[in-house]
Amino acid sequence: MSEPKKIVTRFAPSPTGFLHIGGARTALFNWAFARHHGGSFLLRIEDTDRARSTQAAIDAILDGMHWLGLDADEPPSFQHAQAARHVEVAEQLLADGHAYKCFCTAEEVEAMRETARLANQPLRYDGTWRDRNPSEAAPEAPFVIRFKAPQTGETIIQDAIQGEVTFANAQFDDLILLRSDGSPTYMLSVVVDDYDMGVTHVIRGDDHLTNAGRQAQIYTALNWPLPVFAHMSLIHGSDGAKLSKRHGALGVDAYRDMGYLPEAMRNYLARLGWSHGDEEVFSTAQLVDWFSLDAVGKAPARFDIEKLDYVNAQHLNQAEDADLTAQTLALDADLVPFAAQLEAAMPLLKERASRLGDLVADAAFLKAKRPISVDEKLAKHLQDDNLAHLSALQTQLEALQNWSLEPIEACIKAYMEAKELKMGKLAPAFRAALVGNSQSPGIFDVLALLGRDEALGRIKDKIG
Ligand code: GLU
C-alpha cells in the first residue's frame, strides 16, 4: 500500500491591506486542517499586483498570524518571485496548443467591452485570435497569451464544503495567462504555485468559487491532478449583510488592541462556519483534534462581537494568573510596583473581565494614590454616621492579628450585626474610601489585597 499523501494547505493573501477577520478565519481553517492531519501549513504572499502590494501590509499579515499563533511551517513564499516559472508554464501551454497569442489591440478589447455593455452581458473575449495564425499579425505587434478554454461541456468540482459544483464551459471565455508586458496573471500564478508547493487542499472564501472552475481547466490542460477545493461561505454581519467595517470587521491588530486573547480569537473564528456539536468554548488543542471540513457549514456565518466577548471572558477565566498578570503589566506599566498584589487579585479580576482592558481597569485601585479621589456618586456615602462607623471599624480592624480575607470579613460582619446595619449601607462608604469608584472587586477583597497599612491609611484619610 502506498503512503497516504501528506496534507499541505496554504493561506494566500494579497498584501494590499490589513489582515481582516475573513482572512484570519481562512488562515485558521487551513492551519487547523493541516494540524489535524499532521500536514504542513504554508503561507504564500500573492504580491503580483505590484502597484497595490505594500511591505506594511506584508508585515501586518505576518504580525497578525504570529499573534494568532498561526505561524506557517516554512518561511513565506512570494508569488512575484516565481514569475519566471509562471512564464515557463504559459509557454508550455502555448506549445501544447492549450493557449494562443492574442494580438487584439486595447481598442478592439474596449469595443468588445462596449458591445457587451450594450447587450447587458458580462465582458467576454470573443475568441478573435483563438484559431488564427499568429503570422497574420503585424510584425512586432504586442500580444497577450490566452488560455484556450474548452467551449462546450462542463467543468465539475467536488468541493469539500459546497459539494459538487458544475460550471457550463460556455460561461468561461479565454482568460489571459500572460499580459503583453510578459507578466503572469493571478489565475495562472495561483495554479502553478499551488502545484509547485504540493498543495493538496485549497481552503478559501467562496468568492473564489468561480475561479476554481477556471483554475480546474488549467490544471486539466497541464495534466496536473486537481487539489481538493473547499470554499467557505463568506462572513456576514449580525444583521445578515455582508461583513464590513461597520460590523466590526477590523484588522486582527485591532482585536489585539481591544484586549482579546489569541486563544479566544481562534475559538471564536473557528465557530464562524465550523462547529463541533454544541461546543462553544474550547481549547486550541480540541479544535485541532476535532477539525474537519465535513463540519463546515454552507450558510454564511454571522460575526457577533457580543459572542466574541463571551468566548473571550471564558478564556480569560481559564487562563493562568501569572500569564494574565504579565499581560496586564504590559498594558499598564504603572501597575508594575504592585505586581504581587495584582497576581493575588487575578482570580477575582479575571472572573469579572471580558477583555484584557477590564483587568487593567479593575486593578487600578491597587495603584491609586492617597488620598483617594472619590466619584461624585460615591462621595455622599462618606458622611455623618457612616464616617463614625468607618472610624469605629478602623480601630477594630487595626487590632486584627491576621490581615486576610476571612478575619477582615468576620470583623466587619460582626460589627454590622451588633449595630443592626445592612451591607448596602456600609459597603458604598468603604468603597468610596478605598477605591473611590465602582470599578474593583468586592470590598472585603479590596481590603485584604491592599494590605493593612494602605487600606487603613485610605480609610484614615477620609475620617479625618
Ligand atoms: N490572493 C487571493 C486573495 O487574497 C487568494 C487566492 C487563493 O486563495 O487562491 O483573495
Side-chain angles (χ1 to χ4, degrees):
M1 241 175 68
S2 63
E3 283 274 305
K5 207 169 164 202
K6 185 180 170 194
I7 301 284
V8 180
T9 63
R10 65 12 173 225
F11 176 46
S14 305
T16 53
F18 49 60
L19 176 61
H20 55 82
I21 275 297
R25 181 190 62 160
T26 300
L28 176 70
F29 281 31
N30 279 284
W31 177 90
F33 186 74
R35 286 288 167 279
H36 178 83
H37 290 283
S40 293
F41 167 62
L42 306 179
L43 171 64
R44 181 172 72 233
I45 304 286
E46 299 208 318
D47 55 351
T48 42
D49 184 341
R50 303 308 287 161
R52 291 178 61 226
S53 298
T54 66
Q55 187 58 43
I58 294 172
D59 292 344
I61 291 165
L62 294 174
D63 277 1
M65 288 177 67
H66 184 64
W67 176 68
L68 279 171
L70 304 180
D71 287 318
D73 293 315
E74 289 175 21
S77 62
F78 291 84
Q79 192 156 60
H80 181 66
Q82 304 304 320
R85 164 74 175 145
H86 305 153
V87 170
E88 178 191 304
V89 173
E91 279 164 359
Q92 185 189 323
L93 284 165
L94 192 62
D96 293 347
H98 289 298
Y100 61 93
K101 292 180 180 176
C102 162
F103 295 88
C104 282
T105 60
E107 294 74 38
E108 287 170 313
V109 175
E110 183 46 43
M112 284 175 220
R113 188 168 282 145
E114 191 53 32
T115 312
R117 206 169 10 235
L118 290 174
N120 229 348
Q121 298 280 329
L123 167 71
R124 289 177 63 85
Y125 172 70
D126 66 4
T128 303
W129 282 93
R130 189 176 163 105
D131 298 311
R132 266 170 88 176
N133 193 322
S135 65
E136 292 175 35
E140 310 289 316
F143 60 86
V144 300
I145 294 185
R146 285 187 185 271
F147 179 61
K148 207 174 216 177
Q151 292 178 313
T152 56
E154 290 172 336
T155 297
I156 298 173
I157 284 169
Q158 306 298 338
D159 191 280
I161 297 170
Q162 305 294 332
E164 183 168 288
V165 184
T166 304
F167 302 94
N169 287 337
Q171 82 177 76
F172 297 133
D173 63 354
D174 291 345
L175 61 92
I176 296 176
L177 299 171
L178 284 190
R179 300 186 188 89
S180 57
D181 64 1
S183 64
T185 58
Y186 158 72
M187 212 62 87
L188 171 67
S189 302
V190 78
V191 168
V192 176
D193 286 350
D194 282 339
Y195 175 75
D196 286 352
M197 290 161 70
V199 170
T200 58
H201 291 73
V202 171
I203 306 169
R204 59 187 174 189
D206 70 4
D207 48 336
H208 286 287
L209 188 57
T210 306
N211 288 344
R214 288 178 169 276
Q215 288 159 10
Q217 294 185 336
I218 300 177
Y219 278 98
T220 304
L222 286 162
N223 222 352
W224 290 348
L226 284 183
V228 174
F229 288 109
H231 288 90
M232 301 175 273
S233 298
L234 297 184
I235 303 171
H236 287 190
S238 48
D239 56 1
K242 201 172 162 261
L243 195 64
S244 69
K245 278 194 184 150
R246 183 167 57 83
H247 299 106
L250 306 166
V252 159
D253 55 330
Y255 293 92
R256 171 177 51 195
D257 295 346
M258 280 188 270
Y260 295 105
L261 299 175
E263 56 267 37
M265 289 300 288
R266 288 191 291 273
N267 179 164
Y268 181 68
L269 288 174
R271 286 287 293 110
L272 291 177
W274 172 84
S275 59
H276 182 77
D278 295 333
E279 305 281 351
E280 290 294 351
V281 180
F282 41 82
S283 69
T284 301
Q286 286 172 312
L287 166 64
V288 167
D289 202 24
W290 296 338
F291 193 80
S292 88
L293 292 174
D294 298 342
V296 177
K298 280 197 205 181
R302 290 191 179 202
F303 183 79
D304 178 348
I305 197 115
E306 281 171 23
K307 208 157 157 202
L308 172 58
D309 275 332
Y310 168 78
V311 170
N312 202 53
Q314 308 306 309
H315 282 271
L316 276 174
N317 214 351
Q318 288 164 19
E320 295 291 334
D321 294 340
D323 181 31
L324 290 180
T325 302
Q327 296 202 53
T328 308
L329 295 177
L331 289 173
D332 184 358
D334 291 342
L335 281 168
V336 170
F338 308 94
Q341 286 157 288
L342 179 63
E343 188 162 345
M346 202 46 81
L348 297 166
L349 299 177
K350 71 185 186 185
E351 231 176 57
R352 303 158 42 92
S354 296
R355 304 183 188 183
L356 282 173
D358 298 334
L359 300 177
V360 175
D362 283 5
F365 77 95
L366 289 173
K367 64 172 188 186
K369 295 261 178 303
R370 288 176 54 192
I372 298 297
S373 66
V374 185
D375 271 5
E376 226 174 280
K377 266 201 226 140
L378 280 177
K380 63 172 185 287
H381 297 283
L382 283 177
Q383 281 161 14
D384 311 328
D385 57 335
N386 271 356
L387 287 179
H389 292 309
L390 283 187
S391 176
L393 267 169
Q394 135 105 7
T395 313
Q396 295 196 10
L397 287 169
E398 211 152 25
L400 285 181
Q401 299 260 308
N402 172 9
W403 191 264
S404 63
L405 183 64
E406 276 105 66
I408 292 172
E409 186 169 348
C411 168
I412 296 176
K413 284 191 168 158
Y415 177 87
M416 291 195 309
E417 218 162 279
K419 302 275 178 205
E420 295 185 357
L421 291 170
K422 290 234 160 34
M423 198 56 204
K425 173 156 172 63
L426 264 196
F430 268 109
R431 174 165 285 288
L434 297 166
V435 181
N437 60 53
S438 54
Q439 195 135 29
S440 77
I443 54 125
F444 300 135
D445 290 302
V446 167
L447 279 161
L449 287 162
L450 284 174
R452 185 195 301 265
D453 293 348
E454 179 68 21
L456 295 179
R458 288 185 187 192
I459 295 173
K460 213 174 288 165
D461 291 341
K462 300 302 175 200
I463 57 186

